[in-house]
């Protein structure tokens, strides 16, 4: 009704309203670093949803680790467009709230199995290659030695498998900053997507493709 629409407008920007009218759905993420990583991987995999990421994506930050922000924003969008759909994609560390408290009609909740989205960059071959391209063999050797010291041997050997270490370790706060420090490269978290862009499909866990499939299905992008 009119009162609902009026209240919704207080929580939405003009851009939100415009995108809600033309988009199949909206994606909720913690911040723009998550978005850039997903975009890079969609392009690497040549996934059908890559076009959505590259052209006119509709996504919204839930302001860090506050998933209720996403739910409130989605309810506001529904007052403007009743049939809009959405996906809330949470890091694996965000388990304080059970899915049933976040889920709503039209709002799907997905969680990464690993601690955070940056955890899917933990692949020694990928990281070494990236450093070698920028700094040469010597810096790559130093950075790789750091990984050998820090990673459990099983993770170093097979980074695509399921490991408790990757489920419980905040890679963006500990491992990756230490790695780039060892490589003497001033790479910040906002630039990690540059590493993701260099990956090949066989260097990504299957879960990344599965998450993109689920997102595409919910917001109405055909999965080939």
């Amino acid at each position: 009704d009119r009162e609902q629409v009026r209240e919704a407008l207080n929580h939405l920007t003009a851009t939100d309203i415009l995108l809600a009218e033309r988009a199949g759905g909206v994606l909720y993420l913690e911040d723009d670093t998550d978005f850039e990583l997903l975009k890079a991987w969609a392009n690497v995999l040549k996934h059908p949803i890559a076009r959505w990421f590259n052209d006119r994506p509709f996504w919204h930050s839930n302001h860090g680790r506050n998933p209720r922000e996403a739910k409130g924003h989605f309810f506001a969008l529904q007052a403007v467009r009743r049939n809009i759909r959405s996906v809330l994609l949470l890091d694996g560390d965000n388990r304080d709230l059970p899915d049933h408290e976040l889920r709503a009609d039209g709002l799907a909740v997905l969680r990464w199995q690993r601690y955070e989205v940056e955890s899917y960059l933990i692949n020694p071959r990928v990281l070494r290659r990236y450093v070698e391209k920028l700094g040469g063999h010597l810096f790559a050797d130093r950075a790789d030695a750091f990984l050998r010291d820090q990673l459990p041997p099983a993770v170093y050997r097979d980074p695509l498998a399921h490991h408790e270490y990757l489920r419980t370790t905040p890679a963006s706060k500990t491992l990756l900053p230490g790695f780039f420090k060892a490589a003497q490269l001033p790479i910040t978290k906002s630039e990690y997507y540059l590493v993701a862009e260099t990956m090949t499909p066989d260097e990504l866990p299957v879960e990344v493709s599965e998450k993109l499939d689920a997102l595409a299905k919910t917001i109405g992008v055909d999965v080939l």
Side-chain angles (χ1 to χ4, degrees), residues 3 11 13 16 19-20 32 39 42 57 60 111 135 145 149 163 170 188 190 195 198 202-203 224:
E3 186 58 34
H11 294 85
T13 67
D16 286 337
L19 290 173
D32 57 351
K39 177 181 176 181
H60 184 78
R111 297 176 191 266
D149 287 341
H163 299 284
T188 64
S190 64
V195 179
T198 72
D202 65 312
E203 293 170 337
L224 303 180

Side-chain angles (χ1 to χ4, degrees), residues 11 17 26 34 43 49 77 102 105 116 126 141 149 169 172 185 202 210:
H11 294 85
I17 296 171
V26 56
D34 293 50
N43 286 321
I49 204 171
L77 288 176
L102 301 173
D105 288 342
E116 58 187 346
V126 172
D141 287 344
D149 287 341
T169 302
S172 68
L185 291 174
D202 65 312
E210 292 173 346

Side-chain angles (χ1 to χ4, degrees), residues 27 29 31-54 89-92 111-123 126-127 129-130 159-160 166 171-172 176 189 191-213 215:
L27 170 61
L29 299 168
D31 54 39
D32 57 351
T33 59
D34 293 50
F35 176 84
E36 293 298 336
L37 286 171
L38 282 172
K39 177 181 176 181
W41 289 329
N43 286 321
V44 165
L45 293 168
K46 294 181 171 57
H47 195 279
I49 204 171
R51 183 175 179 180
W52 180 87
F53 276 102
N54 294 323
L89 181 52
L90 299 172
D91 282 350
R111 297 176 191 266
W112 291 109
Q113 294 176 15
R114 295 184 179 183
Y115 189 91
E116 58 187 346
V117 65
E118 288 83 5
S119 301
Y120 296 83
L121 294 171
I122 306 305
N123 185 316
V126 172
L127 292 170
R129 183 176 66 228
Y130 182 76
L160 299 184
L166 296 175
S172 68
L176 290 172
K189 182 178 178 180
E191 299 170 296
Y192 288 170
Y193 74 93
L194 296 173
V195 179
E197 289 178 344
T198 72
M199 300 176 81
T200 59
D202 65 312
E203 293 170 337
L204 282 168
V206 174
E207 185 193 356
V208 173
S209 180
E210 292 173 346
K211 288 293 191 291
L212 293 174
D213 286 350
L215 174 58

Side-chain angles (χ1 to χ4, degrees), residues 56-67:
R56 292 184 295 180
F58 185 16
W59 78 279
H60 184 78
S61 171
N62 63 11
H63 300 292
R65 301 180 69 245
N66 183 12

Side-chain angles (χ1 to χ4, degrees), residues 100-184:
H100 69 83
E101 292 188 20
L102 301 173
R103 195 180 294 115
D105 288 342
L107 172 61
V109 179
L110 302 177
R111 297 176 191 266
W112 291 109
Q113 294 176 15
R114 295 184 179 183
Y115 189 91
E116 58 187 346
V117 65
E118 288 83 5
S119 301
Y120 296 83
L121 294 171
I122 306 305
N123 185 316
R125 181 174 66 176
V126 172
L127 292 170
R128 180 189 175 91
R129 183 176 66 228
Y130 182 76
V131 170
E132 193 166 358
K133 179 180 178 181
L134 296 181
H137 293 290
L138 178 60
F139 293 102
D141 287 344
R142 291 174 180 171
D144 189 59
F146 172 84
L147 288 182
R148 286 183 179 273
D149 287 341
Q150 297 296 317
L151 290 175
V155 178
Y156 188 91
R157 290 193 306 268
D158 187 6
L160 299 184
H162 295 289
H163 299 284
E164 183 67 11
Y165 175 88
L166 296 175
R167 198 184 75 83
T168 59
T169 302
S172 68
K173 298 179 179 66
T174 56
L175 188 69
L176 290 172
F179 172 80
F180 287 115
K181 183 178 180 180
Q184 297 182 32

